[in-house]
Amino acid sequence: MRIRAIHQKSKIGINTHLTNKIVFDALNKRMIKNFKDLDNIQQEVKFGKNTRFDFLVTEKYKKTFIEVKNVTLSRQREIAEFPDAITSRGLKHIQELLKANKKGYEIYLFFVIQRNDC
């Protein structure tokens, strides 16, 4: 018996600017469960000396920084992976998010999977 592998082509979104637009739209439309009662959404908000986070959202008594990451890598069926390369910038963002959390901000990392096979 001969087994033949079938490879399906996947659509992958590689435009990292689109990722933030997707999240911004979802926040605006209150489509994300933890962010239904937002008072304000700001984009590209400076934190510290050399960091900008993708979003600062405010609700009654809390402020939350959101950093958005585009996920394109998959090496195993239906499993998305991040990062797809070593990233000192990504590590810096995580470290800065932790600093923000120590200063009283809530913090979130959003992983937007732009693949139709994961």
Side-chain angles (χ1 to χ4, degrees), residues 22 25-36:
I22 292 168
D25 187 56
L27 288 168
N28 260 333
K29 292 179 179 175
R30 309 305 195 256
M31 296 171 69
I32 301 171
K33 183 180 177 181
N34 290 10
F35 299 100
K36 297 237 183 228

Side-chain angles (χ1 to χ4, degrees), residues 2-107:
R2 198 171 166 185
I3 299 174
R4 209 169 123 202
I6 300 173
H7 297 284
Q8 294 181 336
K9 294 186 180 197
S10 300
K11 293 181 181 178
I12 302 169
I14 58 171
N15 182 341
T16 57
H17 297 291
L18 185 59
T19 312
N20 283 13
K21 290 178 183 179
I22 292 168
V23 172
F24 183 69
D25 187 56
L27 288 168
N28 260 333
K29 292 179 179 175
R30 309 305 195 256
M31 296 171 69
I32 301 171
K33 183 180 177 181
N34 290 10
F35 299 100
K36 297 237 183 228
D37 299 317
L38 299 179
D39 295 321
N40 193 29
I41 304 167
Q42 297 174 353
Q43 299 181 70
E44 295 293 322
V45 177
K46 190 172 181 177
F47 177 81
K49 293 181 181 179
N50 298 313
T51 301
R52 275 184 304 175
F53 292 125
D54 294 319
F55 298 98
L56 172 63
V57 295
T58 54
E59 298 174 75
K60 292 178 187 171
Y61 301 107
K62 70 177 179 178
K63 293 183 177 184
T64 304
F65 279 119
I66 299 172
E67 185 63 21
V68 180
K69 301 296 179 195
N70 189 41
V71 180
T72 59
L73 178 63
S74 177
R75 295 178 290 183
Q76 185 178 346
R77 188 171 185 242
E78 298 182 1
I79 304 288
E81 299 175 69
F82 183 88
D84 57 1
I86 295 173
T87 169
S88 58
R89 183 173 174 256
L91 178 59
K92 179 187 146 221
H93 276 149
I94 291 171
Q95 291 168 337
E96 292 295 307
L97 279 171
L98 292 172
K99 286 180 189 177
N101 187 245
K102 286 180 181 176
K103 291 187 175 198
Y105 293 89
E106 287 200 8
I107 56 171

